Amino acid sequence: NAGVTQTPKFQVLKTGQSMTLQCAQDMNHEYMSWYRQDPGMGLRLIHYSVGAGITDQGEVPNGYNVSRSTTEDFPLRLLSAAPSQTSVYFCASADTVGYGYTFGSGTRLTVV
Amino acid sequence: SQQGEEDPQALSIQEGENATMNCSYKTSINNLQWYRQNSGRGLVHLILIRSNEREKHSGRLRVTLDTSKKSSSLLITASRAADTASYFCATDQFNDYKLSFGAGTTVTVRA
C-alpha cells in the first residue's frame, strides 16, 4: 500500500515551458486535491476533485489544469510556467469530506 | 483568502513541557483538522474534530473546538524532540468539498 505517490520529486523548468506533475493513490479515495506551499503562506488549494470525471477550482487555479479520468490518478498540468509558480506542490487524497487527507511527499518546482 | 489562522506563528519549548497552539477561522465549519509537517516532508493527519464536538484526544494530543468563538486549540503534552515540526489547522464547510489550511505554527522542542 503506497499511499499517495507524486512524481517527480524535483523539477527545474524554464519560463514558458509546460509540464505535468503526476499524482497517484492506491487507496480508492474519491477526493483528491492539489496544493501549493510557499514560505509563510501555508497551503493554498489549486484544484480538487470529488470523483472521477469531476474537478473544480480552488483558491489559486490560474495557470494550472487538471483532469480526473480515473479514481487513482490526478495529474496537474502547468500550461506555461512562470517564476511565480516556483513552489512546493502537494497532492492529497481522502475517502470523503470529513476524513483526514493523506498527503504525498511533494514536488519541489523551480521556474527560472 | 485562507480560512484558518494559527497563533503563535512560532513556539519554542523545553522537552517535557506542553505546547499549545490556536487556530481561528472566519466562517462556520463542518470539520476542523490538525496536521503536522516535518521539515521537507508532506503533511501527516493528526486529528479531526467535528463541529458538534467540543474536545477530542489522541495519545498526547488534545484538541478543543469552540464554535461560538470560531477557534480551536491543539495541546501536545510532554513534548519530545520528535514533535519539532510545523502544525496546521484545516477546515471544511458544510456543502463545500474544499479543505482550507492556515499558515501554520512552527514548534521547536529543545532537548
Side-chain angles (χ1 to χ4, degrees), chain A residues 31 35 37 40-43 45 48 50 57 59 90 97-101 103-104, chain B residues 1-2 31 33 35 37 41-43 45 48 50 88 92 97-99 101-103:
Chain A
Y31 283 61
Y35 292 87
Q37 184 175 32
M41 298 191 71
L43 280 80
L45 182 63
Y48 65 101
V50 299
Q57 296 181 350
E59 185 184 353
F90 288 101
V97 69
Y99 287 80
Y101 272 73
F103 276 77
Chain B
S1 61
Q2 290 173 292
N31 305 285
Q33 306 181 36
Y35 288 80
Q37 184 181 35
R41 309 290 292 272
L43 280 73
H45 178 252
L48 179 150
R50 304 191 189 281
F88 295 89
D92 63 79
Y97 304 111
K98 298 189 290 288
L99 186 66
F101 284 81

Side-chain angles (χ1 to χ4, degrees), chain A residues 27-43:
Chain A
M27 298 169 285
N28 203 33
H29 284 170
E30 290 295 323
Y31 283 61
M32 295 188 76
S33 299
W34 275 102
Y35 292 87
R36 60 177 288 174
Q37 184 175 32
D38 301 294
M41 298 191 71
L43 280 80

Side-chain angles (χ1 to χ4, degrees), chain B residues 30-41:
Chain B
N30 188 19
N31 305 285
L32 186 143
Q33 306 181 36
W34 285 92
Y35 288 80
R36 182 188 74 234
Q37 184 181 35
N38 293 95
S39 182
R41 309 290 292 272

Side-chain angles (χ1 to χ4, degrees), chain B residues 90-107:
Chain B
T91 59
D92 63 79
Q93 299 169 275
F94 291 100
N95 299 318
D96 189 338
Y97 304 111
K98 298 189 290 288
L99 186 66
S100 298
F101 284 81
T105 293
T106 299
V107 175

